[in-house]
Every structure is written in structure tokens, then in C-alpha cells.
Amino acid sequence: MGRHVLVVGGQGGIGRALVEALRHDEAVDAVHATWHHQAPAPLDGVTWWQVDVTDEASIQSLAEGIETLDWLINAVGWLHGHGAGPEKHSREISRDQFLRAMEVNALPSLLLAKHFRPHLKRSSAGVFAVISARLGSIGENRIGGWYSYRASKAALNMALRTLAVEWRRELPSAAVAALHPGTTDTPLSKPFQARVPAGQLFSPETTAAYLLDVIAQLAPEHSGRFWSFDGDSLPW
Ligand SMILES: NC(=O)c1ccc[n+]([C@@H]2O[C@H](COP(=O)([O-])OP(=O)(O)OC[C@H]3O[C@@H](n4cnc5c(N)ncnc54)[C@H](OP(=O)(O)O)[C@@H]3O)[C@@H](O)[C@H]2O)c1
């Protein structure tokens, strides 16, 4: 029997490329994907759900609608919009921007874990994978800036690490992973692409292929780690 997979944020740049790759994967029996503002056209092999990850009731009804799940991949994220962008200096910090980053980038993965725990417990090889960002690594932060985004991804990483500790005992067949996708050509990175060195801006399809390779290698003994797209382990 093939895997049942859910991509949260399936209409985003990376999320949509994950959905496309998974629906053509012979090891996958069912693809569920969520959208937020932009309703997708019907896509063969994909069941779409409208979900706002900042609304726990929306996550709960998604979990109630899906019976079987092996892999949950959260590809939702927020960096800029509504007049806000990453802060270059502490003078630019605003409460609204900080809380928005936390609300979209950090908390939803914990709510997804809460509501999909029973599904992943039933799976013989469950995976809970979230797209984080290398910028959330405290150990690697040498250039500063981007306070809200960095803090929200560091909070996400800590949440995933803590979840992995809990699930090691309670869901011994599952693996929890934080993933760094590499700089990818999507609306999220668009305003910041000018300084990306040649060859280091991936298409969403390339990133999806890398990430799915990493996810396919995950086993319970790897749970609670932070992975780069190329399979390297990153410092927290
Ligand atoms: N692109 C990069 O270079 C890069 C690098 C490092 C890490 N990442 C991470 O990779 C992940 C995917 O990013 P991306 O580049 O694919 O960005 P993207 O194209 O902007 O996609 C982000 C998706 O998140 C969805 N979303 C935002 N708020 C939501 C909410 N409240 N409920 C449900 N969905 C919501 C957006 O839907 P709506 O637009 O409809 O709200 C959008 O589809 C993010 O976690 C990002 O931080 C990206």
C-alpha cells in the first residue's frame, strides 16, 4: 500500500511543486493539499482543502476530514506583506510584524502536530516535516537582521525538537524534521533575490525534488534534526 501525504500550503511556490511531484510518485496513494486565499483548479490525484493555519478550528476540521496519513509536510510561511518586510535594524521592530511571523511560521506546526498526532501514531512510518529556514539557526547567525522571521523560525525549530522528544516515546515509528529548502524562486523570496549568487536560486521543482529525497530517507532514529536540502545536518 502506498503512502498518504498532506502538503499544508500546497498553493505556495514550494508547496505547489511538492504537490506536483507527489501526485506523480508511484509510492504515493493519496495526496491531500491545502490552499488559503487562492482556490486551485482541480488537479488529478489531489484532494484540496481550504485551511487558514492561524485558525485552530480550521486545522481541526482538516484533521477530522482526513482519515489516513503517513507524511505531513508543512510548507506555509510568511516573510513580508501588508507593508511589512524583514527588519534591517532593531529600530524597525514592530509588535504586529513580530506576532504575525510567530502566528504563521511557528505556532501552526504545533497545532498541526496536536491534531494529526492520532493519524501519525497509526502510520507504520509517519513523517512530520516542516519547512523552516537556515536563517532560524541561532548557531549560524553571524550577519543579523530579519528579527521577526529569524525568531519565528528559531521558535519553530525549538517546537519541533521538543515534539521529537515527546514523540520518541509516544510515536516510536514517526520522524519529526525541520527542513531548510535553499533559496528558491517564489513570491516569498522575490524581493530579496538580487544578491543571491548565480546558480544558488533554485526553481521550486528543484527544491521539491531535494526535499522529498531528504524526507524519504527519514527514519525514527533521525527524529528531531534540522536538515538542509542537500541532506546535511544543520546546527540549531
Ligand atoms: N523561498 C525561499 O527562498 C525560502 C527559503 C528558506 C525558507 N523558506 C520557507 O519555505 C516555506 C515555503 O515558502 P515559499 O517560498 O514557497 O513561499 P510562498 O510561495 O510565499 O508560499 C507560502 C504559502 O503560505 C501560505 N500561507 C500564508 N499564510 C497562511 C495561512 N494563515 N494559512 C494557510 N496558508 C498560509 C500562502 O498562502 P496565501 O498566499 O494564500 O496566504 C502561500 O501559499 C516557508 O516556510 C518559507 O519560510 C523559503
Side-chain angles (χ1 to χ4, degrees):
M1 234 179 59
R3 285 183 196 109
H4 289 231
V5 178
L6 166 65
V7 180
V8 182
Q11 274 285 66
I14 296 172
R16 182 59 187 240
L18 287 167
V19 168
E20 286 293 345
L22 287 163
R23 81 188 182 98
H24 293 110
D25 183 339
E26 287 177 357
V28 172
D29 270 1
V31 180
H32 297 274
T34 77
W35 59 279
H36 185 210
H37 288 121
Q38 203 187 337
L43 200 57
D44 270 355
V46 179
T47 306
W48 287 102
W49 306 79
Q50 185 178 16
V51 171
D52 176 352
V53 297
T54 66
D55 173 8
E56 183 170 0
S58 180
I59 290 178
Q60 185 173 355
S61 59
L62 174 70
E64 286 165 1
I66 295 176
E67 202 180 313
T68 303
L69 197 68
D70 300 297
W71 288 5
L72 187 157
I73 307 172
N74 181 9
V76 166
W78 182 82
L79 172 61
H80 58 87
H82 303 291
E87 314 91 338
K88 293 200 180 78
H89 193 278
S90 55
R91 279 188 299 268
E92 297 164 28
I93 289 167
S94 86
R95 181 180 189 278
D96 284 355
Q97 178 166 353
F98 186 84
L99 293 182
R100 178 80 190 143
M102 288 290 179
E103 183 183 37
V104 178
N105 295 341
L107 179 59
S109 292
L110 282 178
L111 297 176
L112 286 163
K114 173 179 168 183
H115 291 285
F116 281 96
R117 181 183 184 285
H119 304 67
L120 296 176
K121 193 173 166 81
R122 288 194 295 270
S123 171
S124 58
V127 166
F128 188 85
V130 181
I131 308 189
S132 179
R134 197 167 195 148
L135 284 174
S137 166
I138 293 174
E140 283 205 346
N141 185 3
R142 283 176 197 88
I143 57 171
W146 295 38
Y147 287 87
S148 298
Y149 186 73
R150 282 186 191 277
S152 67
K153 293 292 189 177
L156 165 68
N157 289 352
M158 179 56 95
L160 293 172
R161 177 77 178 192
T162 305
L163 184 68
V165 172
E166 179 186 294
W167 284 10
R168 205 165 290 153
R169 295 186 304 266
E170 298 184 2
L171 279 72
S173 313
V176 176
L179 305 172
H180 168 62
T183 309
T184 308
D185 184 8
T186 68
L188 182 139
S189 68
K190 197 61 103 195
F192 315 101
Q193 291 176 0
R195 289 217 214 128
V196 180
Q200 288 185 30
L201 181 66
F202 300 148
S203 69
E205 293 71 26
T206 299
T207 296
Y210 274 129
L211 295 180
L212 290 173
D213 273 355
V214 173
I215 293 171
Q217 307 291 328
L218 292 174
E221 60 267 29
H222 303 133
S223 194
R225 284 166 68 177
F226 185 15
W227 300 96
S228 177
F229 62 89
D230 54 8
D232 281 353
S233 195
L234 293 172
W236 295 109

